[in-house]
PDB file of all heavy atoms in Angstrom:
ATOM      1  N   GLN A 612      61.760 172.757 -45.005  1.00 98.00           N
ATOM      2  CA  GLN A 612      61.229 173.886 -44.247  1.00 98.00           C
ATOM      3  C   GLN A 612      60.124 173.442 -43.296  1.00 98.00           C
ATOM      4  O   GLN A 612      59.146 172.822 -43.729  1.00 98.00           O
ATOM      5  CB  GLN A 612      60.692 174.957 -45.204  1.00 98.00           C
ATOM      6  CG  GLN A 612      60.078 176.158 -44.495  1.00 98.00           C
ATOM      7  CD  GLN A 612      59.581 177.222 -45.462  1.00 98.00           C
ATOM      8  OE1 GLN A 612      60.164 177.422 -46.523  1.00 98.00           O
ATOM      9  NE2 GLN A 612      58.512 177.907 -45.096  1.00 98.00           N
ATOM     10  N   GLY A 613      60.288 173.749 -42.027  1.00 98.00           N
ATOM     11  CA  GLY A 613      59.228 173.512 -41.046  1.00 98.00           C
ATOM     12  C   GLY A 613      58.948 172.049 -40.772  1.00 98.00           C
ATOM     13  O   GLY A 613      57.841 171.695 -40.372  1.00 98.00           O
ATOM     14  N   PHE A 614      59.920 171.171 -41.006  1.00 98.00           N
ATOM     15  CA  PHE A 614      59.673 169.735 -40.858  1.00 98.00           C
ATOM     16  C   PHE A 614      59.668 169.313 -39.394  1.00 98.00           C
ATOM     17  O   PHE A 614      60.475 169.789 -38.600  1.00 98.00           O
ATOM     18  CB  PHE A 614      60.753 168.939 -41.605  1.00 98.00           C
ATOM     19  CG  PHE A 614      60.361 168.559 -43.000  1.00 98.00           C
ATOM     20  CD1 PHE A 614      60.006 169.542 -43.912  1.00 98.00           C
ATOM     21  CD2 PHE A 614      60.317 167.230 -43.392  1.00 98.00           C
ATOM     22  CE1 PHE A 614      59.621 169.196 -45.200  1.00 98.00           C
ATOM     23  CE2 PHE A 614      59.943 166.878 -44.675  1.00 98.00           C
ATOM     24  CZ  PHE A 614      59.593 167.852 -45.581  1.00 98.00           C
ATOM     25  N   PRO A 615      58.761 168.369 -39.056  1.00 97.00           N
ATOM     26  CA  PRO A 615      58.863 167.758 -37.726  1.00 97.00           C
ATOM     27  C   PRO A 615      60.126 166.894 -37.660  1.00 97.00           C
ATOM     28  O   PRO A 615      60.541 166.317 -38.672  1.00 97.00           O
ATOM     29  CB  PRO A 615      57.600 166.898 -37.621  1.00 97.00           C
ATOM     30  CG  PRO A 615      57.138 166.694 -39.019  1.00 97.00           C
ATOM     31  CD  PRO A 615      57.653 167.842 -39.842  1.00 97.00           C
ATOM     32  N   SER A 618      60.430 163.494 -39.324  1.00 97.00           N
ATOM     33  CA  SER A 618      60.380 163.379 -40.784  1.00 97.00           C
ATOM     34  C   SER A 618      61.612 163.964 -41.463  1.00 97.00           C
ATOM     35  O   SER A 618      61.721 163.929 -42.687  1.00 97.00           O
ATOM     36  CB  SER A 618      59.120 164.080 -41.320  1.00 97.00           C
ATOM     37  OG  SER A 618      57.970 163.340 -40.972  1.00 97.00           O
TER      38      SER A 618
ATOM     39  N   ASN B 375      55.126 174.598 -58.292  1.00 98.00           N
ATOM     40  CA  ASN B 375      55.052 174.576 -56.825  1.00 98.00           C
ATOM     41  C   ASN B 375      53.837 173.828 -56.285  1.00 98.00           C
ATOM     42  O   ASN B 375      52.996 174.389 -55.567  1.00 98.00           O
ATOM     43  CB  ASN B 375      55.066 176.016 -56.284  1.00 98.00           C
ATOM     44  CG  ASN B 375      56.237 176.798 -56.823  1.00 98.00           C
ATOM     45  OD1 ASN B 375      57.377 176.484 -56.525  1.00 98.00           O
ATOM     46  ND2 ASN B 375      55.966 177.791 -57.666  1.00 98.00           N
ATOM     47  N   PRO B 376      53.746 172.557 -56.600  1.00 98.00           N
ATOM     48  CA  PRO B 376      52.592 171.757 -56.165  1.00 98.00           C
ATOM     49  C   PRO B 376      52.544 171.594 -54.642  1.00 98.00           C
ATOM     50  O   PRO B 376      53.575 171.514 -53.980  1.00 98.00           O
ATOM     51  CB  PRO B 376      52.824 170.406 -56.833  1.00 98.00           C
ATOM     52  CG  PRO B 376      54.293 170.364 -57.101  1.00 98.00           C
ATOM     53  CD  PRO B 376      54.703 171.764 -57.374  1.00 98.00           C
ATOM     54  N   VAL B 377      51.334 171.529 -54.140  1.00 98.00           N
ATOM     55  CA  VAL B 377      51.081 171.337 -52.707  1.00 98.00           C
ATOM     56  C   VAL B 377      50.239 170.078 -52.539  1.00 98.00           C
ATOM     57  O   VAL B 377      49.238 169.908 -53.244  1.00 98.00           O
ATOM     58  CB  VAL B 377      50.334 172.553 -52.124  1.00 98.00           C
ATOM     59  CG1 VAL B 377      49.993 172.328 -50.657  1.00 98.00           C
ATOM     60  CG2 VAL B 377      51.154 173.835 -52.307  1.00 98.00           C
ATOM     61  N   VAL B 378      50.650 169.214 -51.623  1.00 98.00           N
ATOM     62  CA  VAL B 378      49.908 167.980 -51.361  1.00 98.00           C
ATOM     63  C   VAL B 378      49.225 168.071 -49.998  1.00 98.00           C
ATOM     64  O   VAL B 378      49.862 168.413 -49.004  1.00 98.00           O
ATOM     65  CB  VAL B 378      50.873 166.765 -51.365  1.00 98.00           C
ATOM     66  CG1 VAL B 378      50.146 165.508 -50.898  1.00 98.00           C
ATOM     67  CG2 VAL B 378      51.491 166.573 -52.738  1.00 98.00           C
ATOM     68  N   VAL B 379      47.935 167.763 -49.968  1.00 98.00           N
ATOM     69  CA  VAL B 379      47.213 167.702 -48.701  1.00 98.00           C
ATOM     70  C   VAL B 379      46.907 166.228 -48.411  1.00 98.00           C
ATOM     71  O   VAL B 379      46.268 165.561 -49.220  1.00 98.00           O
ATOM     72  CB  VAL B 379      45.905 168.510 -48.766  1.00 98.00           C
ATOM     73  CG1 VAL B 379      45.203 168.506 -47.405  1.00 98.00           C
ATOM     74  CG2 VAL B 379      46.169 169.940 -49.233  1.00 98.00           C
ATOM     75  N   THR B 380      47.373 165.747 -47.260  1.00 98.00           N
ATOM     76  CA  THR B 380      47.094 164.342 -46.923  1.00 98.00           C
ATOM     77  C   THR B 380      45.635 164.199 -46.511  1.00 98.00           C
ATOM     78  O   THR B 380      44.966 165.173 -46.154  1.00 98.00           O
ATOM     79  CB  THR B 380      47.979 163.850 -45.758  1.00 98.00           C
ATOM     80  OG1 THR B 380      47.581 164.535 -44.557  1.00 98.00           O
ATOM     81  CG2 THR B 380      49.452 164.100 -46.027  1.00 98.00           C
ATOM     82  N   SER B 381      45.162 162.962 -46.512  1.00 97.00           N
ATOM     83  CA  SER B 381      43.748 162.751 -46.155  1.00 97.00           C
ATOM     84  C   SER B 381      43.504 163.121 -44.696  1.00 97.00           C
ATOM     85  O   SER B 381      42.439 163.638 -44.354  1.00 97.00           O
ATOM     86  CB  SER B 381      43.336 161.300 -46.438  1.00 97.00           C
ATOM     87  OG  SER B 381      44.236 160.411 -45.832  1.00 97.00           O
ATOM     88  N   ALA B 383      45.098 165.524 -42.974  1.00 98.00           N
ATOM     89  CA  ALA B 383      45.059 166.988 -42.894  1.00 98.00           C
ATOM     90  C   ALA B 383      43.751 167.510 -43.480  1.00 98.00           C
ATOM     91  O   ALA B 383      43.152 168.458 -42.966  1.00 98.00           O
ATOM     92  CB  ALA B 383      46.259 167.587 -43.625  1.00 98.00           C
ATOM     93  N   ARG B 387      41.418 169.818 -41.154  1.00 97.00           N
ATOM     94  CA  ARG B 387      41.386 171.286 -41.281  1.00 97.00           C
ATOM     95  C   ARG B 387      41.273 171.715 -42.742  1.00 97.00           C
ATOM     96  O   ARG B 387      42.012 172.566 -43.232  1.00 97.00           O
ATOM     97  CB  ARG B 387      42.639 171.909 -40.624  1.00 97.00           C
ATOM     98  CG  ARG B 387      43.945 171.259 -41.026  1.00 97.00           C
ATOM     99  CD  ARG B 387      45.125 171.711 -40.136  1.00 97.00           C
ATOM    100  NE  ARG B 387      46.291 170.899 -40.447  1.00 97.00           N
ATOM    101  CZ  ARG B 387      47.218 171.213 -41.341  1.00 97.00           C
ATOM    102  NH1 ARG B 387      47.148 172.327 -42.011  1.00 97.00           N
ATOM    103  NH2 ARG B 387      48.235 170.396 -41.571  1.00 97.00           N
ATOM    104  N   ILE B 391      42.945 175.065 -44.705  1.00 98.00           N
ATOM    105  CA  ILE B 391      43.923 174.849 -45.782  1.00 98.00           C
ATOM    106  C   ILE B 391      43.472 175.540 -47.060  1.00 98.00           C
ATOM    107  O   ILE B 391      44.244 176.231 -47.724  1.00 98.00           O
ATOM    108  CB  ILE B 391      44.135 173.325 -46.013  1.00 98.00           C
ATOM    109  CG1 ILE B 391      44.941 172.740 -44.844  1.00 98.00           C
ATOM    110  CG2 ILE B 391      44.840 173.069 -47.346  1.00 98.00           C
ATOM    111  CD1 ILE B 391      45.023 171.217 -44.857  1.00 98.00           C
ATOM    112  N   LEU B 413      47.121 172.088 -56.207  1.00 98.00           N
ATOM    113  CA  LEU B 413      46.804 171.583 -54.869  1.00 98.00           C
ATOM    114  C   LEU B 413      46.239 170.174 -55.022  1.00 98.00           C
ATOM    115  O   LEU B 413      45.171 169.990 -55.602  1.00 98.00           O
ATOM    116  CB  LEU B 413      45.774 172.497 -54.188  1.00 98.00           C
ATOM    117  CG  LEU B 413      45.475 172.188 -52.709  1.00 98.00           C
ATOM    118  CD1 LEU B 413      46.624 172.672 -51.820  1.00 98.00           C
ATOM    119  CD2 LEU B 413      44.153 172.836 -52.278  1.00 98.00           C
ATOM    120  N   PHE B 414      46.990 169.185 -54.544  1.00 98.00           N
ATOM    121  CA  PHE B 414      46.493 167.804 -54.570  1.00 98.00           C
ATOM    122  C   PHE B 414      45.658 167.569 -53.316  1.00 98.00           C
ATOM    123  O   PHE B 414      46.159 167.727 -52.191  1.00 98.00           O
ATOM    124  CB  PHE B 414      47.666 166.813 -54.567  1.00 98.00           C
ATOM    125  CG  PHE B 414      48.393 166.695 -55.876  1.00 98.00           C
ATOM    126  CD1 PHE B 414      49.619 167.324 -56.069  1.00 98.00           C
ATOM    127  CD2 PHE B 414      47.871 165.926 -56.915  1.00 98.00           C
ATOM    128  CE1 PHE B 414      50.311 167.192 -57.279  1.00 98.00           C
ATOM    129  CE2 PHE B 414      48.562 165.793 -58.122  1.00 98.00           C
ATOM    130  CZ  PHE B 414      49.776 166.429 -58.303  1.00 98.00           C
ATOM    131  N   TYR B 504      42.836 163.203 -55.766  1.00 98.00           N
ATOM    132  CA  TYR B 504      43.392 161.839 -55.858  1.00 98.00           C
ATOM    133  C   TYR B 504      42.522 160.907 -55.021  1.00 98.00           C
ATOM    134  O   TYR B 504      41.958 161.311 -54.008  1.00 98.00           O
ATOM    135  CB  TYR B 504      44.855 161.811 -55.423  1.00 98.00           C
ATOM    136  CG  TYR B 504      45.125 162.155 -53.969  1.00 98.00           C
ATOM    137  CD1 TYR B 504      45.110 161.166 -52.976  1.00 98.00           C
ATOM    138  CD2 TYR B 504      45.438 163.457 -53.570  1.00 98.00           C
ATOM    139  CE1 TYR B 504      45.376 161.471 -51.644  1.00 98.00           C
ATOM    140  CE2 TYR B 504      45.713 163.771 -52.244  1.00 98.00           C
ATOM    141  CZ  TYR B 504      45.668 162.769 -51.288  1.00 98.00           C
ATOM    142  OH  TYR B 504      45.922 163.068 -49.969  1.00 98.00           O
ATOM    143  N   LEU B 510      47.987 159.331 -55.703  1.00 97.00           N
ATOM    144  CA  LEU B 510      48.725 160.553 -55.391  1.00 97.00           C
ATOM    145  C   LEU B 510      50.166 160.447 -55.884  1.00 97.00           C
ATOM    146  O   LEU B 510      50.698 161.368 -56.515  1.00 97.00           O
ATOM    147  CB  LEU B 510      48.691 160.810 -53.882  1.00 97.00           C
ATOM    148  CG  LEU B 510      49.580 161.946 -53.392  1.00 97.00           C
ATOM    149  CD1 LEU B 510      49.149 163.289 -53.998  1.00 97.00           C
ATOM    150  CD2 LEU B 510      49.574 162.031 -51.861  1.00 97.00           C
ATOM    151  N   THR B 522      59.816 174.576 -55.439  1.00 98.00           N
ATOM    152  CA  THR B 522      59.296 174.111 -54.151  1.00 98.00           C
ATOM    153  C   THR B 522      58.251 173.030 -54.352  1.00 98.00           C
ATOM    154  O   THR B 522      57.586 172.965 -55.384  1.00 98.00           O
ATOM    155  CB  THR B 522      58.598 175.251 -53.358  1.00 98.00           C
ATOM    156  OG1 THR B 522      57.332 175.527 -53.977  1.00 98.00           O
ATOM    157  CG2 THR B 522      59.430 176.526 -53.341  1.00 98.00           C
ATOM    158  N   THR B 523      58.126 172.191 -53.323  1.00 98.00           N
ATOM    159  CA  THR B 523      56.979 171.301 -53.172  1.00 98.00           C
ATOM    160  C   THR B 523      56.553 171.413 -51.713  1.00 98.00           C
ATOM    161  O   THR B 523      57.361 171.769 -50.857  1.00 98.00           O
ATOM    162  CB  THR B 523      57.346 169.837 -53.495  1.00 98.00           C
ATOM    163  OG1 THR B 523      58.527 169.488 -52.761  1.00 98.00           O
ATOM    164  CG2 THR B 523      57.610 169.643 -54.982  1.00 98.00           C
ATOM    165  N   THR B 524      55.277 171.117 -51.454  1.00 98.00           N
ATOM    166  CA  THR B 524      54.755 171.333 -50.100  1.00 98.00           C
ATOM    167  C   THR B 524      53.853 170.177 -49.712  1.00 98.00           C
ATOM    168  O   THR B 524      53.164 169.605 -50.565  1.00 98.00           O
ATOM    169  CB  THR B 524      53.941 172.655 -50.059  1.00 98.00           C
ATOM    170  OG1 THR B 524      54.787 173.733 -50.415  1.00 98.00           O
ATOM    171  CG2 THR B 524      53.353 172.899 -48.678  1.00 98.00           C
ATOM    172  N   VAL B 525      53.868 169.844 -48.436  1.00 98.00           N
ATOM    173  CA  VAL B 525      52.942 168.838 -47.932  1.00 98.00           C
ATOM    174  C   VAL B 525      52.225 169.395 -46.698  1.00 98.00           C
ATOM    175  O   VAL B 525      52.841 170.055 -45.852  1.00 98.00           O
ATOM    176  CB  VAL B 525      53.680 167.509 -47.625  1.00 98.00           C
ATOM    177  CG1 VAL B 525      54.750 167.708 -46.566  1.00 98.00           C
ATOM    178  CG2 VAL B 525      52.715 166.431 -47.198  1.00 98.00           C
ATOM    179  N   HIS B 526      50.921 169.177 -46.647  1.00 98.00           N
ATOM    180  CA  HIS B 526      50.154 169.505 -45.452  1.00 98.00           C
ATOM    181  C   HIS B 526      49.728 168.200 -44.802  1.00 98.00           C
ATOM    182  O   HIS B 526      49.045 167.388 -45.434  1.00 98.00           O
ATOM    183  CB  HIS B 526      48.940 170.374 -45.800  1.00 98.00           C
ATOM    184  CG  HIS B 526      49.309 171.806 -46.004  1.00 98.00           C
ATOM    185  ND1 HIS B 526      49.370 172.716 -44.989  1.00 98.00           N
ATOM    186  CD2 HIS B 526      49.704 172.474 -47.118  1.00 98.00           C
ATOM    187  CE1 HIS B 526      49.763 173.895 -45.451  1.00 98.00           C
ATOM    188  NE2 HIS B 526      49.969 173.771 -46.746  1.00 98.00           N
ATOM    189  N   ALA B 527      50.153 168.015 -43.560  1.00 98.00           N
ATOM    190  CA  ALA B 527      49.924 166.734 -42.882  1.00 98.00           C
ATOM    191  C   ALA B 527      49.616 166.980 -41.415  1.00 98.00           C
ATOM    192  O   ALA B 527      49.765 168.094 -40.916  1.00 98.00           O
ATOM    193  CB  ALA B 527      51.163 165.854 -43.029  1.00 98.00           C
ATOM    194  N   GLU B 528      49.201 165.937 -40.744  1.00 98.00           N
ATOM    195  CA  GLU B 528      48.868 166.027 -39.320  1.00 98.00           C
ATOM    196  C   GLU B 528      50.016 165.503 -38.461  1.00 98.00           C
ATOM    197  O   GLU B 528      50.842 164.714 -38.952  1.00 98.00           O
ATOM    198  CB  GLU B 528      47.596 165.219 -39.030  1.00 98.00           C
ATOM    199  CG  GLU B 528      46.335 165.895 -39.534  1.00 98.00           C
ATOM    200  CD  GLU B 528      46.146 167.289 -38.927  1.00 98.00           C
ATOM    201  OE1 GLU B 528      45.764 167.376 -37.755  1.00 98.00           O
ATOM    202  OE2 GLU B 528      46.417 168.288 -39.644  1.00 98.00           O
ATOM    203  N   GLU B 531      52.050 161.895 -38.650  1.00 97.00           N
ATOM    204  CA  GLU B 531      52.070 161.242 -39.970  1.00 97.00           C
ATOM    205  C   GLU B 531      53.512 161.034 -40.429  1.00 97.00           C
ATOM    206  O   GLU B 531      54.331 161.959 -40.353  1.00 97.00           O
ATOM    207  CB  GLU B 531      51.333 162.103 -41.000  1.00 97.00           C
ATOM    208  CG  GLU B 531      49.826 162.039 -40.869  1.00 97.00           C
ATOM    209  CD  GLU B 531      49.137 162.459 -42.160  1.00 97.00           C
ATOM    210  OE1 GLU B 531      49.036 161.619 -43.071  1.00 97.00           O
ATOM    211  OE2 GLU B 531      48.719 163.635 -42.248  1.00 97.00           O
ATOM    212  N   LEU B 533      55.632 160.365 -43.632  1.00 97.00           N
ATOM    213  CA  LEU B 533      55.409 160.436 -45.082  1.00 97.00           C
ATOM    214  C   LEU B 533      56.721 160.346 -45.851  1.00 97.00           C
ATOM    215  O   LEU B 533      56.921 161.032 -46.859  1.00 97.00           O
ATOM    216  CB  LEU B 533      54.698 161.754 -45.418  1.00 97.00           C
ATOM    217  CG  LEU B 533      53.383 162.006 -44.676  1.00 97.00           C
ATOM    218  CD1 LEU B 533      52.948 163.454 -44.834  1.00 97.00           C
ATOM    219  CD2 LEU B 533      52.311 161.072 -45.206  1.00 97.00           C
ATOM    220  N   LEU B 536      56.637 159.832 -49.700  1.00 97.00           N
ATOM    221  CA  LEU B 536      56.115 160.997 -50.408  1.00 97.00           C
ATOM    222  C   LEU B 536      57.144 162.130 -50.397  1.00 97.00           C
ATOM    223  O   LEU B 536      57.396 162.763 -51.424  1.00 97.00           O
ATOM    224  CB  LEU B 536      54.805 161.464 -49.752  1.00 97.00           C
ATOM    225  CG  LEU B 536      54.228 162.773 -50.309  1.00 97.00           C
ATOM    226  CD1 LEU B 536      53.848 162.620 -51.779  1.00 97.00           C
ATOM    227  CD2 LEU B 536      53.021 163.221 -49.481  1.00 97.00           C
ATOM    228  N   VAL B 537      57.747 162.361 -49.240  1.00 97.00           N
ATOM    229  CA  VAL B 537      58.753 163.430 -49.137  1.00 97.00           C
ATOM    230  C   VAL B 537      59.944 163.136 -50.055  1.00 97.00           C
ATOM    231  O   VAL B 537      60.469 164.042 -50.700  1.00 97.00           O
ATOM    232  CB  VAL B 537      59.204 163.614 -47.669  1.00 97.00           C
ATOM    233  CG1 VAL B 537      60.431 164.505 -47.593  1.00 97.00           C
ATOM    234  CG2 VAL B 537      58.060 164.205 -46.844  1.00 97.00           C
ATOM    235  N   LEU B 540      58.925 164.096 -53.505  1.00 98.00           N
ATOM    236  CA  LEU B 540      58.871 165.551 -53.634  1.00 98.00           C
ATOM    237  C   LEU B 540      60.287 166.148 -53.666  1.00 98.00           C
ATOM    238  O   LEU B 540      60.596 167.005 -54.493  1.00 98.00           O
ATOM    239  CB  LEU B 540      58.071 166.165 -52.481  1.00 98.00           C
ATOM    240  CG  LEU B 540      56.578 165.795 -52.421  1.00 98.00           C
ATOM    241  CD1 LEU B 540      55.933 166.389 -51.170  1.00 98.00           C
ATOM    242  CD2 LEU B 540      55.838 166.256 -53.684  1.00 98.00           C
ATOM    243  N   ARG B 546      63.220 172.868 -52.516  1.00 98.00           N
ATOM    244  CA  ARG B 546      62.779 173.132 -51.147  1.00 98.00           C
ATOM    245  C   ARG B 546      61.481 172.387 -50.910  1.00 98.00           C
ATOM    246  O   ARG B 546      60.561 172.485 -51.734  1.00 98.00           O
ATOM    247  CB  ARG B 546      62.592 174.648 -50.930  1.00 98.00           C
ATOM    248  CG  ARG B 546      62.124 175.052 -49.524  1.00 98.00           C
ATOM    249  CD  ARG B 546      62.284 176.568 -49.260  1.00 98.00           C
ATOM    250  NE  ARG B 546      61.602 177.397 -50.235  1.00 98.00           N
ATOM    251  CZ  ARG B 546      60.563 178.219 -49.966  1.00 98.00           C
ATOM    252  NH1 ARG B 546      60.105 178.322 -48.728  1.00 98.00           N
ATOM    253  NH2 ARG B 546      60.022 178.940 -50.919  1.00 98.00           N
ATOM    254  N   VAL B 547      61.413 171.636 -49.824  1.00 98.00           N
ATOM    255  CA  VAL B 547      60.198 170.915 -49.450  1.00 98.00           C
ATOM    256  C   VAL B 547      59.665 171.544 -48.173  1.00 98.00           C
ATOM    257  O   VAL B 547      60.411 171.718 -47.206  1.00 98.00           O
ATOM    258  CB  VAL B 547      60.462 169.408 -49.220  1.00 98.00           C
ATOM    259  CG1 VAL B 547      59.143 168.662 -49.091  1.00 98.00           C
ATOM    260  CG2 VAL B 547      61.286 168.830 -50.349  1.00 98.00           C
ATOM    261  N   ILE B 548      58.384 171.906 -48.198  1.00 98.00           N
ATOM    262  CA  ILE B 548      57.795 172.676 -47.111  1.00 98.00           C
ATOM    263  C   ILE B 548      56.744 171.836 -46.400  1.00 98.00           C
ATOM    264  O   ILE B 548      55.948 171.151 -47.043  1.00 98.00           O
ATOM    265  CB  ILE B 548      57.157 173.964 -47.694  1.00 98.00           C
ATOM    266  CG1 ILE B 548      58.233 174.803 -48.370  1.00 98.00           C
ATOM    267  CG2 ILE B 548      56.441 174.757 -46.606  1.00 98.00           C
ATOM    268  CD1 ILE B 548      57.707 175.688 -49.477  1.00 98.00           C
ATOM    269  N   TRP B 549      56.773 171.916 -45.088  1.00 98.00           N
ATOM    270  CA  TRP B 549      55.831 171.141 -44.270  1.00 98.00           C
ATOM    271  C   TRP B 549      54.841 172.105 -43.614  1.00 98.00           C
ATOM    272  O   TRP B 549      55.234 172.980 -42.848  1.00 98.00           O
ATOM    273  CB  TRP B 549      56.611 170.370 -43.200  1.00 98.00           C
ATOM    274  CG  TRP B 549      55.811 169.354 -42.449  1.00 98.00           C
ATOM    275  CD1 TRP B 549      54.915 169.590 -41.451  1.00 98.00           C
ATOM    276  CD2 TRP B 549      55.842 167.929 -42.627  1.00 98.00           C
ATOM    277  NE1 TRP B 549      54.377 168.407 -40.996  1.00 98.00           N
ATOM    278  CE2 TRP B 549      54.935 167.367 -41.688  1.00 98.00           C
ATOM    279  CE3 TRP B 549      56.532 167.060 -43.483  1.00 98.00           C
ATOM    280  CZ2 TRP B 549      54.713 165.988 -41.586  1.00 98.00           C
ATOM    281  CZ3 TRP B 549      56.314 165.694 -43.370  1.00 98.00           C
ATOM    282  CH2 TRP B 549      55.415 165.167 -42.439  1.00 98.00           C
ATOM    283  N   ASN B 550      53.572 171.927 -43.932  1.00 98.00           N
ATOM    284  CA  ASN B 550      52.505 172.704 -43.280  1.00 98.00           C
ATOM    285  C   ASN B 550      52.667 174.218 -43.353  1.00 98.00           C
ATOM    286  O   ASN B 550      52.394 174.934 -42.378  1.00 98.00           O
ATOM    287  CB  ASN B 550      52.366 172.292 -41.804  1.00 98.00           C
ATOM    288  CG  ASN B 550      51.544 171.017 -41.664  1.00 98.00           C
ATOM    289  OD1 ASN B 550      51.046 170.490 -42.665  1.00 98.00           O
ATOM    290  ND2 ASN B 550      51.415 170.517 -40.454  1.00 98.00           N
ATOM    291  N   SER B 551      53.116 174.682 -44.486  1.00 98.00           N
ATOM    292  CA  SER B 551      53.145 176.122 -44.714  1.00 98.00           C
ATOM    293  C   SER B 551      52.913 176.330 -46.208  1.00 98.00           C
ATOM    294  O   SER B 551      52.422 175.422 -46.886  1.00 98.00           O
ATOM    295  CB  SER B 551      54.479 176.704 -44.242  1.00 98.00           C
ATOM    296  OG  SER B 551      54.459 178.110 -44.393  1.00 98.00           O
ATOM    297  N   TRP B 552      53.275 177.502 -46.734  1.00 98.00           N
ATOM    298  CA  TRP B 552      53.006 177.795 -48.143  1.00 98.00           C
ATOM    299  C   TRP B 552      54.281 178.286 -48.812  1.00 98.00           C
ATOM    300  O   TRP B 552      55.131 178.916 -48.168  1.00 98.00           O
ATOM    301  CB  TRP B 552      51.863 178.809 -48.257  1.00 98.00           C
ATOM    302  CG  TRP B 552      50.621 178.203 -47.682  1.00 98.00           C
ATOM    303  CD1 TRP B 552      50.180 178.329 -46.389  1.00 98.00           C
ATOM    304  CD2 TRP B 552      49.736 177.296 -48.332  1.00 98.00           C
ATOM    305  NE1 TRP B 552      49.055 177.562 -46.206  1.00 98.00           N
ATOM    306  CE2 TRP B 552      48.765 176.913 -47.376  1.00 98.00           C
ATOM    307  CE3 TRP B 552      49.662 176.757 -49.619  1.00 98.00           C
ATOM    308  CZ2 TRP B 552      47.730 176.021 -47.677  1.00 98.00           C
ATOM    309  CZ3 TRP B 552      48.630 175.882 -49.919  1.00 98.00           C
ATOM    310  CH2 TRP B 552      47.682 175.524 -48.968  1.00 98.00           C
ATOM    311  N   PRO B 553      54.431 177.996 -50.110  1.00 97.00           N
ATOM    312  CA  PRO B 553      55.722 178.262 -50.764  1.00 97.00           C
ATOM    313  C   PRO B 553      56.036 179.748 -50.948  1.00 97.00           C
ATOM    314  O   PRO B 553      57.210 180.120 -50.986  1.00 97.00           O
ATOM    315  CB  PRO B 553      55.593 177.552 -52.115  1.00 97.00           C
ATOM    316  CG  PRO B 553      54.130 177.377 -52.353  1.00 97.00           C
ATOM    317  CD  PRO B 553      53.515 177.264 -50.994  1.00 97.00           C
TER     318      PRO B 553
END
Side-chain angles (χ1 to χ4, degrees):
Chain A
Q612 178 179 327
F614 266 57
S618 289
Chain B
N375 307 294
V377 177
V378 172
V379 183
T380 68
S381 52
R387 48 192 171 92
I391 287 171
L413 187 76
F414 285 102
Y504 65 88
L510 172 62
T522 74
T523 50
T524 300
V525 61
H526 281 273
E528 286 302 285
E531 284 201 81
L533 305 167
L536 174 63
V537 168
L540 295 176
R546 180 166 56 115
V547 191
I548 299 153
W549 190 283
N550 279 357
S551 184
W552 297 93

